[in-house]
Amino acid sequence: MRPFVEFEDAGFRVDGRAILRGFSLAVAEGETVALIGRSGSGKTTALKLVNALLMPTEGAVRVAGRATAEWDPIRLRRRTGYVIQEVGLFPHLTIGRNVGLVPELEGWPAARIGARVRELLELVGLPAAEFGGRYPNQLSGGQRQRVGVARALAADPPLLLLDEPFGALDPITRTELQREFRALQARLRKTAIFVTHDMREAARVADRIALLGGGRLLAVGTPAELGSSQDREVQAFLEAGAT
Amino acid sequence: MSPDLLREVAAETGWHVVLVAVSIGIATAIGVPLGVFLTRRPAWSRPVLGLVGVIQTIPSLALFGFLIPVPAIGGIGTRTALVALTLYGLLPVLRNTVTGIEGVDPAIREAGRGMGMTDRQLLVRVELPLAASVILAGVRVATVVGIGVTTIAAAIGAGGLGVFIFRGVAMVDDRMILAGALPAALLAIGADVALGVIERALRPPR
């Protein structure tokens, strides 16, 4: 399968300090790759290079064959679903309007937006009749995060970027959402990049795992491949996940 | 109170309201866009807020006096008063616009940018609605303060409720002073309550 996202020797520096160095990774179309690493390992930076929230200071990042520097950043982001840990739902808009925002920005007719919102809320298990008119503050953390996923999927983007999307949830809700995400992906087959610091989560949601440390790619492989790796940082993460 | 005085008080109260409404209207029309600009050019924020803050420290009677000899905007009368009142109203509106927009949760701003909002869409659809109650709080402070300061505008012949206060001081007539001071106080309380209601209505659900 051809790669949908390609990091080509990508680097990112701020004030001469390298946050990410010589990062190369190809994510195939329809594949879910987890970026895992400690805080400050560069995984979130790598993710932001994909939707042009940051621009690589060295190398390039290609999306659908085109370098992010050549994309109109607005167009690129409208075609890329983005879910962050803090969810970032707009508190002054109802759940329905939050989910329908990108289609609205894209100028869809109102009827089509309404139908899409109902479809998506149904998909993430929050019936629109009950939840569509509520405000984000009237939802639980897990429900908000489901809305965040629905919103990212609204304009049917081929690519999903998730930055520790379930990080702030309790372990039970978290496991539930990981399973739902996996089931959703089995149906939708989006290309997805999932940032996490939890090895078990990475193994549950991703086809392949890329381990980052100190701004470099340390190891990449399927969960099983990483499981048999002798690399010390990989071992450290497996142990941390086992406890 | 004689019917003549009562009629006069009613007329000056109306004029007082006009002076405040026009000056706060102009202060808002300048302060909100300027505040938005400052959030886009943070380097300008301190000097501009400092400068506007300095104006605020000039005693109001002195500011009216300073403006009299200034060509074009100065002189005696309504125009000069409006300039001074607008300058006083500017700081609270400007400062609250900057504070309100800067107070928007960075995660919400990032989500907006990440979903492909242009800077303008982010401003109009997210930042301004979320900052609206804070901005209105600034307008509210500017209005309440402005109602008080406007009583001094009578000193440069701009009329308003200050007319009775200055007349009462000159005539050593407490009732005449009260004929100006009491309606001014009631206006301030009324404006405070009314704008407070709107402010709460604009507050986003938390």
Side-chain angles (χ1 to χ4, degrees):
Chain A
M1 246 189 279
R2 68 187 175 91
F4 193 77
V5 177
E6 251 183 310
F7 295 89
E8 293 174 345
D9 213 16
F12 183 76
R13 272 170 205 281
V14 183
D15 305 326
R17 204 165 57 90
I19 313 285
L20 197 68
R21 286 180 287 187
F23 185 66
S24 293
L25 179 72
V27 181
E29 204 168 332
E31 184 186 29
T32 302
V33 170
L35 300 182
I36 185 167
R38 302 168 191 250
S39 305
S41 61
K43 53 195 196 298
T44 292
T45 302
L47 194 74
K48 288 183 178 176
L49 290 176
V50 179
N51 64 353
L53 284 176
L54 299 174
M55 280 298 172
T57 48
E58 292 129 46
V61 178
R62 293 180 181 281
V63 178
R66 195 158 21 134
T68 52
E70 291 159 20
W71 275 92
D72 166 11
I74 302 298
R75 288 239 52 77
L76 174 61
R77 291 173 196 154
R78 296 260 174 98
R79 288 170 42 87
T80 306
Y82 187 45
V83 187
I84 56 178
Q85 178 176 346
E86 300 85 356
V87 196
L89 292 184
F90 301 121
H92 59 301
L93 300 180
T94 61
I95 298 308
R97 287 210 52 204
N98 263 287
V99 173
L101 199 58
V102 174
E104 195 187 318
L105 296 175
E106 289 284 272
W108 291 20
R112 191 171 157 216
I113 297 175
R116 182 67 180 156
V117 168
R118 280 191 295 280
E119 181 190 346
L120 281 167
L121 286 178
E122 203 68 50
L123 189 71
V124 297
L126 301 169
E130 192 184 340
F131 292 94
R134 293 198 195 172
Y135 285 90
N137 67 328
Q138 296 167 309
L139 266 55
S140 70
Q143 290 171 332
R144 275 203 290 270
Q145 209 46 270
R146 287 190 177 93
V147 176
V149 173
R151 183 173 69 174
L153 291 169
D156 202 17
L159 175 63
L160 277 183
L161 304 177
L162 307 103
D163 192 355
E164 301 200 26
F166 311 141
L169 303 174
D170 65 84
I172 297 172
T173 311
R174 194 171 178 174
T175 312
E176 232 171 71
L177 281 176
Q178 288 163 357
R179 204 170 26 239
E180 285 174 24
F181 176 79
R182 197 65 203 161
L184 207 62
Q185 266 296 70
R187 282 171 61 190
L188 303 175
R189 281 279 140 207
K190 305 279 185 195
T191 308
I193 304 178
F194 193 117
V195 165
T196 177
H197 55 245
D198 177 351
M199 187 58 112
R200 277 181 303 179
E201 177 166 86
R204 275 196 200 112
V205 300
D207 302 312
R208 281 195 302 153
I209 299 173
L211 177 68
L212 281 80
R216 292 177 179 281
L217 181 64
L218 299 179
V220 60
T222 63
E225 284 166 2
L226 283 197
S228 57
S229 163
Q230 297 305 309
D231 186 284
R232 281 172 81 180
E233 185 75 0
V234 175
Q235 289 295 334
F237 262 93
L238 287 173
E239 276 163 33
T243 52
Chain B
M1 212 188 278
S2 75
D4 276 355
L5 182 60
L6 203 60
R7 254 196 305 280
E8 214 186 332
V9 169
E12 292 297 350
T13 303
W15 180 239
H16 201 94
V17 170
V18 170
L19 286 176
V20 173
V22 171
S23 57
I24 297 300
I26 299 172
T28 306
I30 297 171
V32 174
L34 184 59
V36 169
F37 172 80
L38 293 184
T39 60
R40 267 60 187 164
R41 299 275 190 291
W44 291 48
S45 199
R46 274 175 71 104
V48 172
L49 282 174
L51 181 71
V52 177
V54 166
I55 297 171
Q56 201 81 3
T57 65
I58 304 172
S60 42
L61 192 54
L63 182 61
F64 285 115
F66 285 142
L67 283 174
I68 292 175
V70 178
I73 57 166
I76 296 275
T78 306
R79 194 180 48 196
T80 314
L82 285 178
V83 171
L85 294 172
T86 301
L87 286 174
Y88 274 113
L90 203 51
L91 181 68
V93 176
L94 185 63
R95 197 176 39 201
N96 279 40
T97 303
V98 173
T99 313
I101 290 177
E102 281 177 350
V104 172
D105 185 348
I108 288 174
R109 197 174 285 127
E110 196 196 286
R113 290 220 304 137
M115 63 203 289
M117 285 192 179
T118 61
D119 188 57
R120 197 182 176 77
Q121 287 165 339
L122 196 63
L123 178 70
V124 173
R125 287 167 177 269
V126 178
E127 290 174 315
L128 284 179
L130 289 177
S133 72
V134 178
I135 295 173
L136 198 86
V139 174
R140 182 179 169 196
V141 169
T143 305
V144 172
V145 171
I147 289 170
V149 175
T150 300
T151 57
I152 298 166
I156 54 165
L161 289 166
V163 166
F164 307 108
I165 298 175
F166 281 107
R167 197 187 292 167
V169 169
M171 291 161 47
V172 200
D173 179 349
D174 284 351
R175 289 198 313 188
M176 188 60 83
I177 294 176
L178 280 175
L182 208 58
L186 292 175
L187 279 182
I189 293 168
D192 192 42
V193 170
L195 291 173
V197 169
I198 303 174
E199 186 190 319
R200 273 187 293 281
L202 287 176
R203 206 169 290 164
R206 278 260 156 230

